[in-house]
Amino acid sequence: MSYDFTAIEKKWQEYWKTHKSFAAIEPERAGGMPKKYVLDMFPYPSGAGLHVGHVENYAATDIISRYFRMRGFNVLHPTGWDAFGLPAEQYAIKNNRHPREFTAANIANFRRQIQMLGLSYDWDREIDTTDPKYYKWTQWIFLKLFNSYFDPVDKKAKSISHLIHELEQDNFVVAPDGSVKRNPVMEGMEAISGDVQLERKWRELSVEEKNDVIDGMRLAYTDEAPVNWCPALGTVLANEEVIDGRSEVGGFPVERRPMRQWMLRITAYADRLLDDLNLLDWPESLKQMQRNWIGRSVGAEVDFEVAASKRDEGQGDEEDGEGITVFTTRPDTLFGATYMVLAPEHPLVEKITTAEQKAAVNAYREQCAGRSERDRMADAKDKSGVFTGAYAINPVNEAAIPIFIADYVLMGYGTGAIMAVPAHDQRDFEFAKKFNLSIKPVVKPIKGDLPDDAAFEEEGTAINSPVIDGLTTAKAKEQMIAALERDGVGHGTVKYKLRDWLFSRQRYWGEPFPIVLDTQERAYGIDEAELPLELPSIEDYKPTGTPEPPLSKAKDWVKYENPRIAMRGLLRETNTMPQWAGSCWYYLRFLDPNNSQAPVDPKKEAYWMPVDLYVGGVEHAVLHLLYARFWHKVLFDLGVVSQPEPFGRLVNQGLILGETEYHAFYTADGNVVTASEAKEIGEEATDAGVKLMAIHAKTSEKLIGQRVGEEDVEKTANGFRLKSNPNMRVDARAFKMSKSRGNVASPDDLVREYGADALRLYVMYMGPLEMQKPWNTRDIIGMSRFLSSVWRNLAEKPVDANAAMSDALQGQMHRTIKKVAEDTEALRFNTAIAELIKLNNEITALPAVPKSLAENLALMVAPFAPHLAEELWQRLGHGESLAHYAWPSFDPAKLVESTMELPVQVNGKLRGKIVVPVDAGEADILARAAGDSEVQPWLAGKTVRKQIYVAKKLVNFVVG
RNA sequence: GCGGGCGUGGCGGAAUAGGUAGACGCGCGGGUCUCAAAAACCCGUUCCCACAAGGAUUGUCGGUUCGAUUCCGACCGCCCGCACCA
């Protein structure tokens, strides 16, 4: 008989709820209590309900939270609903329901499912990003972004009013491109170059120009630029939301088109986002993903002149002097530049192309424009391009080099133009080979020769380069940059792959921007007092399929009236914020969820932040985790928060795959195929669901995977084979859980059948938290048996307060206490559970259980299987919940045993074992080992050349 | 192509400052209890050999060492991320 988990789990969930057992203590009442902030990536309440991946995530943080409460920490462990945005809205449209109503229903379902797992959340802090009381502060933060700029001198965000002050004082001047820089004269520098003369002071600008300068500095700004438009979703997307030319949500094609959009100036923070990764205890792979995404490269910009003589002869000389700036990370190879390439979209292409090349160039540009990013990437191997007819002058040696356009140079990175050094860049090498361009080596390997069928891309020693010959690559770069700067033809610089964050969406279900636009489309922030700006209820919320957002249909809402503003014809911004907005700062709101005066009270923020443990999936590596760090840094600069980074320690739980499947491959006419003949195994959707497909290695024939049962296969030296047909090899693999594969495990069913405690335990016992692992429902029974056994041992067997424990049992109890604590803190839940099972197995053999042992086991089980533990604790005679009862302590003296077993090896092979007192001397031990009856035959008649005794580990005799 | 991770029984996985490989769970085999079954409990379970004795064994091959799952080198396979980023 198993214990009645359904009743017990319900009972304790109600107890915790009514007693508010897991309410975090407010800082002002916490005394000297140390804190732990344990956070989950809060869920999107999708229509699909809870996934076992959620269970893995939340069980892990719940165990940690419960453990730390028992260790005397003031634990903050909250949750909420990230309910705005595309995924939720897509579900709503698919189910033909209004997002507001649908979201409410989904939240209710998620809450029920989460509560049935017995998670120790502080429910008084539950937040919902779609609640106006919450998004009021999302809008407030947006206004902060809108009203701030990134100070180029102090490298931090400051208010726009401060910027205006600096400009009025002439501390800053305005450059010809509209950017703002420190006034060189105010720094005590003489204006030396002609450029400085072009910089203008604030008072020299018209009102319109002043507004343009300010708007150009804001951290939130509008820009008319080519963006990722997704027709199927009816909205634009951020770069981070586009994967291989398709939308992350839904996998729909994405195209580039110019549109006016809201952008956030995340690029200003590129260096800080990069550098501060070093402060974080995050998985190295995740940090690396962020580093790659930011994509910092150090190099130089070099200015090339376009050669006059090669251009249209009819033009006068004054027209010449057209310059092209290129970016390179290898300025040391400048002497090896034998041609130049512009991106097809480069604005100078039109100007420099000669009459005879015009037709070819235009044809190529058109061809490129018509191709999707996907197509362009597909044939990266095969270089294409066209000669413009123009030549550029290499500033270091006056060499005239031909200018090409080619789609392997992207307008979106660097300057959209490169100097091509085919000897030292593989792409340039391939292009040069194809177009028969000269290849000039300027770097020689430290050892060995230059390859003749590829570019030499490594570092080496400069050759054929007058100013830098003989220098190593690092030195040569330095020298070359110095020379370029001295001659005014280039300068050292840093480029990033990171682009500004496209922040507006043409969708209904998101936070409205707290912005109004005048007739010229200039943006103004509304008053803080007008927040929250509520999302109007409209019936027709569906995307229009055009760039016109659905909110524009709320005609009355769009019209903006404010008696204090004289301007007429103001209209509200009708775009909405993207799904990431609410999750960019939710971890702060948990600290102070009901504050109506500020997003968070600074005193509370100072106490709780940073997050001590953050657990979630790796899929947000360059989305939520990058965006939230960016917002946090802005809030840090503006004094809203006290820490430079929000999440100290972060762990990604590994993906839980579906159950392992076995597939045998057949040809279309039913012939047997071996695994080695089946290549490129992948999935394909068919009418009957998703099928496993493969290609025949020799015939390229399409092979169909036939699912076979585990019991039908057997293992051989090189894989599995079918029992019924030994020639047939079988492929064993686990797939991502998906509805179409029909391999989704349902938490509802599992809890009903095995109980929440057993499910939690199983998910934690499957393997290391961070590792990807296949699901196997069959295995849950083991955890179910363990819990029933604990129940029988502690609730049904006599518990004896006076029973003495044997030394061995006592030793094991204390070792278990130590190991479970260590493993839990290190998030090694699988081995912690194994120790608990071992201790319980010992108890099973006892006729009666010593009370201290029973209590300690109940306490140690509590973080993992809290319902059962509470019930047992109560039955052991305790009136209160064990949620805050002290974790058992171990006695180091009890860990030591009086004797030990030592393995005895002869020539490294195990031949016997001896049991000796722990304090036995080496000579003693060696004598005992040599005399052991198991060992003796292996030593007889041989010379012992060496005796090795590793203290408390083993004995090894080397014989000849 | 670049970067990161991984490879251990029938399955999930333990164990690495080098020291008894396979903890713990599943599955499987046998037993106890029972009229029977379930549940529970006990025993066994890496492979080879009928058993024992013995031998082999942590993807493959090699190296260092008294001793290698652990360290080094080469190779094979799988997974993840990035990718014409100049």
Side-chain angles (χ1 to χ4, degrees):
Chain A
M1 252 311 278
S2 154
Y3 72 106
D4 186 354
F5 53 79
T6 308
I8 290 174
E9 289 178 356
K10 188 161 173 257
K11 168 183 165 184
W12 287 99
Q13 283 165 17
E14 272 163 23
Y15 176 98
W16 295 326
K17 196 173 168 187
T18 51
H19 289 77
K20 294 194 188 295
S21 299
F22 310 116
I25 304 167
E26 291 297 344
E28 58 273 19
R29 289 188 284 111
M33 240 177 139
K35 67 92 187 181
K36 289 278 180 190
Y37 185 1
V38 182
L39 185 66
D40 299 311
M41 290 186 188
F42 69 159
Y44 297 113
S46 75
L50 216 60
H51 182 270
V52 287
H54 289 117
V55 180
E56 181 188 26
N57 185 166
Y58 306 153
T61 52
D62 191 60
I63 290 165
I64 287 293
S65 300
R66 289 177 180 271
Y67 172 78
F68 278 124
R69 278 187 208 104
M70 294 174 80
R71 294 291 340 222
F73 286 88
N74 184 17
V75 173
L76 174 58
H77 186 45
T79 195
W81 318 108
D82 187 13
F84 263 143
L86 263 183
E89 192 173 0
Q90 284 301 102
Y91 270 113
I93 291 171
K94 220 164 153 187
N95 291 281
N96 201 23
R97 292 174 68 178
H98 194 279
R100 186 184 304 277
E101 169 219 347
F102 190 63
T103 298
N106 289 344
I107 287 176
N109 187 45
F110 258 74
R111 191 188 293 112
R112 174 191 66 77
Q113 290 189 299
I114 282 178
Q115 285 176 345
M116 91 188 167
L117 294 172
L119 302 173
S120 64
Y121 291 123
D122 181 350
W123 286 104
D124 291 344
R125 295 170 189 265
E126 180 181 352
I127 56 180
D128 169 1
T129 56
T130 67
D131 182 343
K133 289 204 270 306
Y134 179 87
Y135 69 68
K136 167 180 178 176
W137 298 106
T138 309
Q139 292 169 330
W140 182 88
I141 295 171
F142 180 82
L143 281 180
K144 287 281 175 199
L145 289 158
F146 181 73
N147 288 319
S148 301
Y149 75 105
F150 191 79
D151 190 284
V153 181
D154 292 344
K155 308 233 178 279
K156 57 179 280 196
K158 294 183 182 180
S159 72
I160 290 290
S161 51
H162 183 264
L163 173 65
I164 294 171
H165 175 80
E166 293 281 62
L167 285 163
E168 282 170 349
Q169 300 295 307
D170 292 339
N171 292 333
F172 283 156
V173 289
V174 178
D177 64 359
S179 72
V180 169
K181 40 177 91 157
R182 172 148 291 196
N183 187 345
V185 179
M186 297 300 284
E187 284 195 332
M189 292 160 53
E190 290 301 316
I192 37 172
S193 92
D195 287 348
V196 176
Q197 308 294 336
L198 296 171
E199 287 164 358
R200 291 189 295 169
K201 291 180 179 167
W202 188 240
R203 70 183 87 91
E204 297 162 7
L205 304 182
S206 70
V207 172
E208 201 60 11
E209 283 172 326
K210 281 179 178 173
N211 282 337
D212 285 343
V213 166
I214 294 300
D215 286 348
M217 292 297 287
R218 297 180 189 275
L219 291 182
Y221 63 97
T222 56
D223 193 22
E224 176 89 27
V227 294
N228 307 303
W229 168 254
C230 179
L233 290 172
T235 184
V236 297
L237 297 168
N239 290 339
E240 290 80 0
E241 292 170 307
V242 179
I243 294 162
D244 292 341
R246 285 172 178 272
S247 64
E248 197 212 5
V249 172
F252 302 111
V254 169
E255 55 195 50
R256 306 284 293 175
R257 75 192 259 179
M259 282 170 66
R260 173 195 154 270
Q261 292 298 321
W262 280 95
M263 310 290 288
L264 298 187
R265 206 176 299 281
I266 190 172
T267 50
Y269 282 82
D271 275 330
R272 281 168 61 186
L273 288 168
L274 197 62
D275 294 343
D276 287 356
L277 283 171
N278 297 328
L279 307 175
L280 302 176
D281 180 10
W282 285 19
E284 199 47 47
S285 61
L286 194 115
K287 289 193 196 181
Q288 203 52 46
M289 281 167 78
Q290 291 213 346
R291 287 192 192 107
N292 289 342
W293 190 259
I294 294 167
R296 181 184 150 103
S297 32
V298 179
E301 283 186 353
V302 186
D303 304 322
F304 285 66
E305 297 277 301
V306 176
S309 56
K310 306 284 180 182
R311 292 182 55 211
D312 206 330
E313 303 278 346
Q315 297 294 319
D317 281 351
E318 278 83 359
E319 285 290 300
D320 295 328
E322 205 65 75
I324 299 174
T325 302
V326 302
F327 174 68
T328 177
T329 55
R330 291 295 297 272
D332 60 304
T333 62
L334 194 40
F335 282 91
T338 53
Y339 63 103
M340 178 186 268
V341 185
L342 303 187
E345 310 87 348
H346 198 288
L348 282 178
V349 172
E350 214 134 315
K351 286 191 191 163
I352 62 167
T353 302
T354 57
E356 16 342 329
Q357 290 301 106
K358 204 121 225 160
V361 163
N362 283 345
Y364 185 73
R365 293 180 88 184
E366 249 165 67
Q367 182 199 323
C368 290
R371 297 175 75 204
S372 70
E373 298 234 349
R374 229 183 144 73
D375 294 343
R376 230 163 121 158
M377 282 184 287
D379 39 39
K381 297 267 167 340
D382 191 30
K383 298 278 176 294
S384 65
V386 174
F387 180 43
T388 60
Y391 289 79
I393 304 298
N394 187 335
V396 291
N397 60 4
E398 307 296 319
I401 56 175
I403 304 173
F404 284 75
I405 62 170
D407 67 359
Y408 82 91
V409 173
L410 310 172
M411 196 56 222
Y413 185 75
T415 60
I418 62 158
M419 62 177 207
V421 185
H424 304 292
D425 183 290
Q426 190 58 32
R427 295 155 300 175
D428 297 344
F429 181 86
E430 284 161 18
F431 190 88
K433 280 279 174 199
K434 183 160 176 181
F435 289 87
N436 238 333
L437 297 160
S438 65
I439 298 170
K440 179 185 172 194
V442 290
V443 182
K444 139 178 142 251
I446 303 291
K447 49 181 170 193
D449 295 322
L450 284 160
D452 49 1
D453 55 350
F456 173 70
E457 296 185 316
E458 275 124 84
E459 307 212 331
T461 312
I463 53 170
N464 299 329
S465 306
V467 254
I468 53 169
D469 268 345
L471 296 180
T472 58
T473 297
K475 284 268 173 229
K477 283 183 187 175
E478 260 173 53
Q479 288 282 311
M480 184 56 84
I481 290 172
L484 292 170
E485 286 177 354
R486 188 188 55 232
D487 299 342
V489 290
H491 56 93
T493 186
V494 178
K495 295 281 179 200
Y496 304 90
K497 278 201 288 183
L498 184 70
R499 303 278 86 128
D500 274 343
W501 176 12
L502 199 159
F503 194 70
S504 42
R505 300 289 181 273
Q506 293 70 51
R507 297 295 290 246
Y508 170 71
W509 196 233
E511 299 88 345
F513 283 85
I515 291 289
V516 291
L517 304 165
D518 68 13
T519 48
Q520 309 301 306
E521 294 219 313
R522 190 178 294 286
Y524 304 85
I526 63 173
D527 250 30
E528 270 183 40
E530 296 174 72
L531 301 181
L533 170 60
E534 292 202 25
L535 185 63
S537 276
I538 53 175
E539 274 317 299
D540 182 13
Y541 60 85
K542 294 207 173 112
T544 60
T546 70
E548 182 74 23
L551 276 187
S552 60
K553 290 182 265 190
K555 298 278 183 232
D556 292 340
W557 180 84
V558 168
K559 281 183 203 135
Y560 179 76
E561 302 284 347
N562 186 332
R564 290 185 292 120
I565 295 173
M567 242 182 294
R568 307 306 299 250
L570 290 173
L571 296 176
R572 291 195 190 279
E573 172 62 63
T574 53
N575 283 303
T576 53
M577 296 189 204
Q579 65 185 96
W580 313 104
S583 61
C584 266
W585 72 283
Y586 76 110
Y587 56 91
L588 293 171
R589 191 62 176 172
F590 283 133
L591 315 181
D592 197 8
N594 299 313
N595 194 331
S596 59
Q597 303 304 308
V600 60
D601 177 341
K603 287 199 280 299
K604 295 185 178 181
E605 190 277 335
Y607 176 80
W608 288 113
M609 289 298 287
V611 174
D612 295 285
L613 177 66
Y614 194 24
V615 179
V618 73
E619 66 273 16
H620 292 134
V622 291
L623 292 157
H624 159 65
L625 286 173
L626 192 63
Y627 297 150
R629 291 182 63 218
F630 161 50
W631 275 36
H632 194 87
K633 285 185 182 307
V634 175
L635 294 175
F636 175 70
D637 289 349
L638 299 178
V640 178
V641 298
S642 62
Q643 303 282 329
E645 285 285 337
F647 316 121
R649 180 174 183 207
L650 182 139
V651 173
N652 293 124
Q653 86 272 18
L655 193 65
I656 297 182
L657 301 171
E659 298 206 5
T660 302
E661 296 178 16
Y662 299 85
H663 289 264
F665 289 104
Y666 294 81
T667 60
D669 46 6
N671 287 326
V672 167
V673 178
T674 65
S676 60
E677 288 169 333
K679 294 273 179 219
E680 292 174 38
I681 297 171
E683 292 176 66
E684 194 176 283
T686 67
D687 296 338
V690 181
K691 283 242 169 203
L692 195 64
M693 307 298 287
I695 303 295
H696 195 289
K698 286 169 205 139
T699 65
S700 299
E701 197 182 343
K702 199 164 167 190
L703 304 172
I704 301 149
Q706 204 70 247
R707 180 109 186 246
V708 294
E710 195 184 346
E711 63 283 354
D712 300 329
V713 302
E714 61 188 352
K715 190 144 186 192
T716 67
N718 38 13
F720 292 90
R721 70 178 182 198
L722 214 52
K723 280 181 190 164
S724 58
N725 184 349
N727 289 327
M728 186 130 180
R729 297 258 209 94
V730 171
D731 175 271
R733 64 175 65 198
F735 298 88
K736 253 175 114 156
M737 285 189 185
S738 73
K739 234 182 193 164
S740 51
R741 277 210 93 82
N743 61 351
V744 180
S746 150
D748 279 331
D749 294 348
L750 293 162
V751 168
R752 197 177 315 117
E753 192 158 352
Y754 302 96
D757 281 341
L759 174 60
R760 291 167 54 121
L761 224 39
Y762 171 61
V763 167
M764 292 293 97
Y765 191 67
M766 287 171 75
L769 181 63
E770 304 87 337
M771 208 187 258
Q772 176 171 302
K773 48 221 164 230
W775 179 264
N776 196 341
T777 298
R778 186 182 72 192
D779 289 347
I780 301 185
I781 193 69
M783 295 301 106
S784 214
R785 285 181 191 151
F786 165 59
L787 293 173
S788 297
S789 170
V790 172
W791 174 261
R792 280 192 303 275
N793 284 336
L794 269 53
E796 294 177 350
K797 214 185 263 193
V799 172
D800 184 350
N802 303 312
M805 261 189 270
S806 69
D807 284 357
L809 186 56
Q810 208 161 106
Q812 186 172 356
M813 182 180 83
H814 285 270
R815 274 194 301 279
T816 305
I817 295 171
K818 182 168 186 277
K819 182 97 176 22
V820 172
E822 282 170 0
D823 284 354
T824 303
E825 284 180 37
L827 272 41
R828 290 191 298 256
F829 304 121
N830 53 333
T831 50
I833 294 167
E835 291 303 310
L836 293 171
I837 294 172
K838 246 154 73 171
L839 184 63
N840 180 63
N841 287 348
E842 291 298 319
I843 297 176
T844 302
L846 302 176
V849 192
K851 187 155 192 205
S852 62
L853 178 56
E855 293 195 331
N856 283 344
L857 181 61
L859 290 170
M860 285 191 282
V861 165
F864 303 89
H867 308 90
L868 173 68
E870 289 274 24
E871 183 67 21
L872 292 171
W873 189 244
Q874 191 178 62
R875 285 167 185 252
L876 287 167
H878 296 273
E880 286 197 353
S881 161
L882 49 57
H884 298 273
Y885 197 88
W887 180 262
S889 52
F890 66 91
D891 179 355
K894 296 276 169 42
L895 301 177
V896 189
E897 289 171 278
S898 56
T899 60
M900 58 184 177
E901 189 190 60
L902 285 181
V904 181
Q905 299 182 336
V906 178
N907 283 351
K909 281 197 192 314
L910 182 72
R911 297 303 181 188
K913 289 174 186 177
I914 54 169
V915 177
V916 295
V918 278
D919 52 1
E922 178 168 349
D924 231 27
I925 289 170
L926 288 172
R928 286 275 290 276
D932 186 78
S933 63
E934 297 276 313
V935 178
Q936 274 245 298
W938 297 96
L939 299 178
K942 308 248 172 76
T943 322
V944 176
R945 294 178 190 226
K946 206 165 167 185
Q947 307 182 59
I948 294 154
Y949 171 57
V950 184
K952 298 183 177 178
K953 290 282 187 190
L954 59 38
V955 176
N956 189 17
F957 294 110
V958 185
V959 300

